[in-house]
Amino acid sequence: MTEHTTRPTRTLIEDIARRAGAIALEHFQSLAGLPVERKGHLDLVTEADRAVEQFLTSSLRRAFPDDGVFGEEAGETAGTSGRIWVIDPIDGTFNFVRGGQNWAISIGLFENRRPVYGTIFAPARALMLSGGVDAPAQRNGMPMGPLPPLDFAQGATGIGWHPSIGTADRIELIRFVSDELGINVRFCGSSTLSLVDIALGETDGYLALGDSTWDVMAGLPILASLGVSHTIDWDHTGLDAKLRFACGTEGFLDKVRPLLKTIAVPA
């Protein structure tokens, strides 16, 4: 185990996520008076986003003063170690603003150009997941079991797209899943929780058009510890990139690669 995935460090990151969740819940429980700004169509920024990100950044910098932090709102705080904590203060902001439970705090460690560790906390669902390289996945402190085998007869995939994605690509994604795969679709409005759905065995994969790195940096290493892969080429992907990718078992990825050849490259 590396120094960043030992039990004390896992406990530390989970504690930071839990305290950040308490901040978010205070805002969530007083939505009636919560000011909301729009930075783009359906892309909402709230006071809660900023408060949670500020807490995460300051907490991680205190705990790991040599590491960098890269966040959705504030951008990158440089470090000297080469390691970067990539954070999303509230993924699923639209759900959050509408009073839904599908939102989460995401903390992922990016090291040697790879996601190596992640913690996800969904406060409204009292759900904590963590894990990564040399750190077996845990759910609320308990080891997670193996995922069920892929069965397309009762298959399902999560999907997600950024508001900037064109209608043609959205339609092609849905057409492919419906006609070529013949499986069900789940659109939960949170990339982080779409990855959690895979970890919990509720879906078999995730297809994303336009996700940001902070949306997935925590979920991908947790899934990797459960044998789930993805199609992102990190050697040629910056932290500011918009991602078009698939995530799932190798059997799932084999099935969706024809789709990725069609819509994986932005027009």
Side-chain angles (χ1 to χ4, degrees):
M1 268 188 192
T2 70
E3 62 176 304
H4 285 279
T5 54
T6 58
R7 182 176 298 276
T9 299
R10 187 199 292 257
T11 302
L12 172 61
I13 300 302
E14 288 187 354
D15 181 64
I16 291 173
R18 194 171 285 109
R19 287 187 287 149
I23 296 171
L25 275 174
E26 287 183 9
H27 290 271
F28 184 69
Q29 291 164 354
S30 58
L31 283 172
L34 185 66
V36 178
E37 302 168 358
R38 289 187 177 270
K39 65 177 181 182
H41 181 56
L42 296 183
D43 196 0
L44 304 176
V45 184
T46 66
E47 286 185 350
D49 275 307
R50 292 187 289 270
V52 173
E53 182 162 320
Q54 288 170 5
F55 172 81
L56 290 173
T57 299
S58 61
S59 297
L60 290 166
R61 290 288 288 171
R62 281 196 302 271
F64 308 99
D66 296 330
D67 293 357
V69 180
F70 184 80
E72 178 180 8
E73 300 302 330
E76 184 170 1
T77 301
T80 59
S81 68
R83 295 179 295 266
I84 303 173
W85 294 93
V86 181
I87 58 176
D88 193 342
I90 300 175
D91 185 61
T93 313
F94 189 71
N95 296 336
F96 179 92
V97 171
R98 294 293 299 265
Q101 294 187 339
N102 278 337
W103 54 274
I105 291 153
S106 174
I107 306 172
L109 179 60
F110 193 61
E111 184 175 9
N112 296 323
R113 297 205 56 81
R114 296 291 184 275
V116 298
Y117 179 78
T119 290
I120 295 169
F121 182 44
R125 294 171 54 176
L127 179 64
M128 178 84 74
L129 266 62
S130 63
V133 177
D134 298 325
Q138 293 183 0
R139 173 184 181 179
N140 291 343
M142 301 297 294
M144 299 184 69
L147 295 175
L150 179 62
D151 179 4
F152 273 93
Q154 38 185 332
T157 183
I159 64 171
W161 51 57
H162 189 268
S164 64
I165 298 300
T167 301
D169 281 352
R170 301 187 193 199
I171 291 174
E172 175 57 18
L173 189 157
I174 293 174
R175 185 209 64 79
F176 184 91
V177 172
S178 178
D179 294 350
E180 307 297 330
L181 300 184
I183 63 177
N184 290 317
V185 169
R186 178 176 295 183
F187 198 139
C188 76
S190 165
S191 304
T192 297
L193 288 174
S194 292
L195 299 182
V196 168
D197 284 344
I198 302 174
L200 299 181
E202 297 179 8
T203 60
D204 300 294
Y206 177 55
L207 295 165
L209 299 178
D211 277 7
S212 297
T213 57
W214 52 74
D215 296 325
V216 301
M217 194 61 70
L220 292 181
I222 294 171
L223 287 172
S225 74
L226 294 170
V228 175
S229 189
H230 58 81
T231 61
I232 301 170
D233 179 4
W234 288 111
D235 289 329
H236 299 93
T237 301
L239 288 180
D240 58 350
K242 290 296 184 183
L243 308 172
R244 296 188 176 210
F245 73 100
C247 180
T249 62
E250 284 303 319
F252 178 85
L253 295 181
D254 286 343
K255 292 287 188 180
V256 301
R257 282 194 171 94
L259 170 69
L260 297 180
K261 291 179 181 178
T262 303
I263 62 175
V265 179

